[in-house]
Amino acid sequence: MQIEVLKSKIHRAVITDANLNYVGSITIDEDLMNAANIIENEKVQVVNVNNGERLETYVIRGKKGSGICCLNGPAARKGIVGDVVVIISYASMDFEEAKKFKPWIVFPKEGNKL
């Protein structure tokens, strides 16, 4: 049996920009992506702590060390600069494997730094 489990989480990043005139996605600082084991184009769920909005999109790699966390395209309507978000990715795996799996969880500091 395959189940879906938490693979990676960036817990309480702060939105630094919202770009409505973009094709769509979320841009995340490469340092945060690496720490959370998230790759470019990976599907993620973004949960906005400030307003309760939830959305699914894909990740675009942002400049390393920039602290960027930018909602792009229609997602830009789901949050504003300063909102706190949780970015989550999931993985499908065998039930027994899932029991032993340990997700990558990142708690950004001020400025979305590690």
Side-chain angles (χ1 to χ4, degrees):
M1 169 176 37
Q2 294 280 309
I3 64 170
E4 203 166 278
V5 299
L6 172 68
K7 179 187 83 69
S8 305
K9 178 168 74 165
I10 301 172
H11 188 78
R12 299 185 66 88
V14 176
I15 296 174
T16 60
D17 196 8
N19 183 354
L20 186 60
N21 296 313
Y22 191 83
V23 177
S25 66
I26 185 168
T27 304
I28 304 171
D29 180 325
E30 185 177 3
D31 283 338
L32 290 176
M33 289 175 60
N34 290 338
N37 198 34
I38 293 174
I39 62 170
E40 190 164 40
N41 298 313
E42 184 170 350
K43 179 181 175 181
V44 292
Q45 182 179 48
V46 181
V47 182
N48 189 320
V49 174
N50 293 77
N51 63 20
E53 291 284 355
R54 302 172 82 87
L55 66 109
E56 289 184 342
T57 191
Y58 62 94
V59 175
I60 292 179
R61 180 179 27 251
K63 183 178 177 191
K64 190 176 180 90
S66 66
I68 191 167
C69 182
C70 178
L71 294 175
N72 298 306
R77 297 267 190 217
K78 302 291 187 178
I80 60 172
V81 172
D83 280 358
V84 174
V85 294
V86 179
I87 303 164
I88 307 163
S89 72
Y90 300 93
S92 293
M93 60 184 70
D94 177 76
F95 183 76
E96 292 303 319
E97 179 186 4
K99 288 180 181 180
K100 301 172 196 148
F101 181 76
K102 300 290 182 219
W104 288 265
I105 301 177
V106 176
F107 298 92
K109 302 207 180 337
E110 189 173 334
N112 292 333
K113 304 296 183 184
L114 295 177

